[in-house]
Amino acid sequence: MTQDAPLLSIEKLEVSAAGGTKILHGIDYMLDRGTIGALVGESGSGKTMAARSIIKLLPTGLSITGGRIMLAGEDVTAASLRRLRQVRGPVAGMVFQEPMVTLNPVMTIGTQMAEAMRLHTSLTRDEIRQRSVEMLERVQLRNPESALTAYPHEFSGGMRQRILLASVMMLRPKLLIADEPTTALDTLSQREVLDLMVELARDFGTAVLLIPHNLGLVDHYTEHPAVLR
């Protein structure tokens, strides 16, 4: 990838259901490295499906049937499942609306944070633990050492979202996809989580694709919004 090429380039993307019904029609979007973009539109316009297409995490029965997605110089629409597993995490990470859907309720926070690090890095167990503590400190979690041995249900929704953000950003992804990450939070928690997300992204040089639930967030946080109809 040349230095001036966009980090993400979506060209004429089409996503269809198993029966042939098109869900997305010819989506075009570009996002430069280190910038913050957004996909906005009314409910049902396809924002989440477009975002999930970037790492081919579409629900069962949906598939990419046209177009191309270039991510960090690689055509992910043509990537094998094995390659996609290598891309998910170090190249592109995703934060979802409700962290309890992503966090495993029967595994400790420390175990879950370490899982991706063991898979994608050669760090030792102690090094992974240290980085986990550092990331939990970065997202302003109290008693990060104790948090590693706790379970998701022991934290509030805002704290769980911070933990999930820390887990995703531990791998320093080139792109962070944030799908309505603060929908279930109160107004104050929303701003705190988004401020932390933007701060981490800028520190790590990570681009962010935000799918917000209100236009006020778009105006405050993003530089390159696109509207889906």
Side-chain angles (χ1 to χ4, degrees):
M1 182 173 66
T2 61
Q3 191 68 19
D4 57 353
L7 173 69
L8 172 68
S9 177
I10 301 175
E11 306 167 8
K12 303 187 186 310
L13 174 67
E14 291 186 356
V15 171
S16 303
T21 303
K22 286 187 180 179
I23 307 300
L24 296 180
H25 304 256
I27 303 296
D28 292 296
Y29 186 71
M30 287 196 303
L31 187 65
D32 290 329
R33 286 170 289 176
T35 58
I36 302 176
L39 296 179
V40 301
E42 61 187 354
S43 179
S45 61
K47 306 182 297 295
T48 294
M49 291 305 102
R52 282 174 169 264
S53 296
I54 296 169
I55 50 177
K56 294 181 81 171
L57 262 183
L58 291 168
T60 302
L62 298 184
S63 60
I64 297 172
T65 53
R68 186 173 73 157
I69 300 173
M70 298 296 295
L71 177 61
E74 182 173 356
D75 184 358
V76 295
T77 51
S80 65
L81 180 58
R82 180 179 180 181
R83 177 57 186 153
L84 285 169
R85 287 173 178 156
Q86 297 170 337
V87 167
R88 295 169 185 161
V91 181
M94 192 163 186
V95 175
F96 298 92
Q97 293 183 34
E98 175 45 65
M100 281 301 281
V101 175
T102 306
L103 295 172
N104 190 323
V106 299
M107 293 173 62
T108 64
I109 298 302
T111 300
Q112 296 185 65
M113 292 185 73
E115 193 171 18
M117 298 300 291
R118 287 198 302 268
L119 182 63
H120 294 290
T121 75
S122 58
L123 296 179
T124 67
R125 182 177 179 178
D126 288 342
E127 288 170 336
I128 291 173
R129 181 181 176 82
Q130 181 59 36
R131 184 174 291 189
S132 298
V133 171
E134 290 171 357
M135 284 303 302
L136 291 177
E137 288 176 342
R138 285 294 306 271
V139 297
Q140 300 174 11
L141 203 72
R142 293 180 181 177
N143 303 318
E145 290 273 2
S146 299
L148 293 180
T149 59
Y151 292 86
H153 71 270
E154 298 180 52
F155 299 91
S156 67
M159 290 298 105
R160 287 196 295 264
Q161 198 61 286
R162 292 176 188 224
I163 291 167
L164 183 56
L165 177 62
S167 299
V168 172
M169 294 301 291
M170 275 179 70
L171 284 168
R172 312 292 199 265
K174 293 180 173 63
L175 174 66
L176 173 65
I177 304 167
D179 184 5
E180 299 192 15
T182 61
T183 300
L185 307 181
D186 60 67
T187 303
L188 178 60
S189 295
Q190 287 179 16
R191 292 298 294 267
E192 290 175 347
V193 169
L194 287 172
D195 285 345
L196 284 170
M197 182 180 72
V198 170
E199 179 184 335
L200 285 173
R202 287 177 175 161
D203 287 351
F204 297 154
T206 299
V208 178
L209 180 60
L210 178 65
I211 303 170
H213 61 278
N214 70 62
L215 291 177
L217 297 178
V218 176
D219 181 58
H220 185 77
Y221 289 100
T222 68
E223 303 158 274
H224 305 292
V227 180
L228 274 66
R229 293 181 296 170

